Amino acid sequence: MAEPHITVRDLTMAYGSFVLQHDLSFTVNRGDIFVIMGGSGCGKSTLLRHLIGLQRPAKGKVLYGDVSFWDCDEEARSLITKRFGILYQSGALWSSMTLAENITTVLEGQANLDPLLIGKIVSLKLSLVGLAGFGEYYPAEISGGMKKRAGLARAMALDPEILFFDEPSAGLDPISAHLLDDLILELRDSLGATVVIVTHELPSIFAIGNNSVFLDAESRTMLATGDPKKLLAECENPTVRSFLTRGEARAATMPGESAGTCLTA
């Protein structure tokens, strides 16, 4: 049975008196590749910041297991965030450091890790993302796709329980984006991690997402949650369908399968 890993209940996101999204309720199950999707300006990245502890909600709860993240003390929140690995949209690599040094900075603060072990871990993480032998390269010396992979190596340096990605395919050509999708699937399976991705890229959404939430900028709330492929096949909400039918993406569901939760207009 599905095991809830992250539960969002009645969440409202606001900047002062301006409400960006309200009444968000959804569940990310352990092992999901969960997609936060929607059009520009709907609050996808803001929702990610609420999940990783960078922005406090105006209302509602974010639970990790049975622990309410924003209701526990700072020490408890710190223990939860240590289970995270985060890949920001730009990769967020230090330009003055080599790829190996970028990963090393994450590991150096950990107790009981001697330099020799750190070096082995760095080599392993770079190998896992297809960058073996590139440890001494600087970010300016590699391609955009390689930077994303290096950022992913750093995000998983401490073997996180949950990986958060903000627009991982942004700025990549279709082939590099496809290879990154394949890598995310492989890492999810090998690490046993839960993955939460902010994206509006349909190829990635359908290729790797098995659960999702759709945020709508106009109504300022969620319009659907569930497997994106099933939502494409069965959801009748016109806003959701318009978003999911851009391009050539199509999907079919097996008889008896549910589309998840879809609110019709």
Side-chain angles (χ1 to χ4, degrees), residues 21-133:
Q21 287 284 325
H22 63 88
D23 298 323
L24 305 183
S25 294
F26 57 86
T27 300
V28 181
N29 293 311
R30 192 172 294 272
D32 274 352
I33 295 185
F34 187 93
V35 180
I36 301 172
M37 59 184 180
S40 298
C42 68
K44 299 186 297 293
S45 293
T46 301
L47 176 55
L48 187 71
R49 290 196 292 273
H50 281 71
L51 297 181
I52 64 177
L54 294 182
Q55 191 167 339
R56 182 180 289 273
K59 176 188 172 186
K61 295 182 181 295
V62 176
L63 292 93
Y64 287 90
D66 59 359
V67 178
S68 180
F69 183 83
W70 290 105
D71 293 325
C72 61
D73 60 31
E74 188 64 36
E75 182 178 358
R77 280 200 297 274
S78 178
L79 289 174
I80 293 172
T81 58
K82 285 181 178 178
R83 294 149 49 190
F84 298 169
I86 304 170
L87 174 62
Y88 295 100
Q89 185 171 338
S90 63
L93 298 171
W94 294 99
S95 60
S96 61
M97 295 182 180
T98 65
L99 303 189
E101 289 169 342
N102 266 278
I103 301 171
T104 298
T105 58
V106 178
L107 296 165
E108 285 179 333
Q110 302 302 305
N112 304 319
L113 289 181
D114 62 57
L116 182 60
L117 179 57
I118 288 176
K120 290 181 178 180
I121 294 173
V122 169
S123 295
L124 173 62
K125 300 306 179 182
L126 287 172
S127 295
L128 286 174
V129 299
L131 291 176

Side-chain angles (χ1 to χ4, degrees), residues 152-166:
L152 180 52
R154 188 177 65 179
M156 64 180 196
L158 297 175
D159 295 329
E161 198 175 289
I162 308 173
L163 286 164
F164 293 96
F165 300 152
D166 189 4

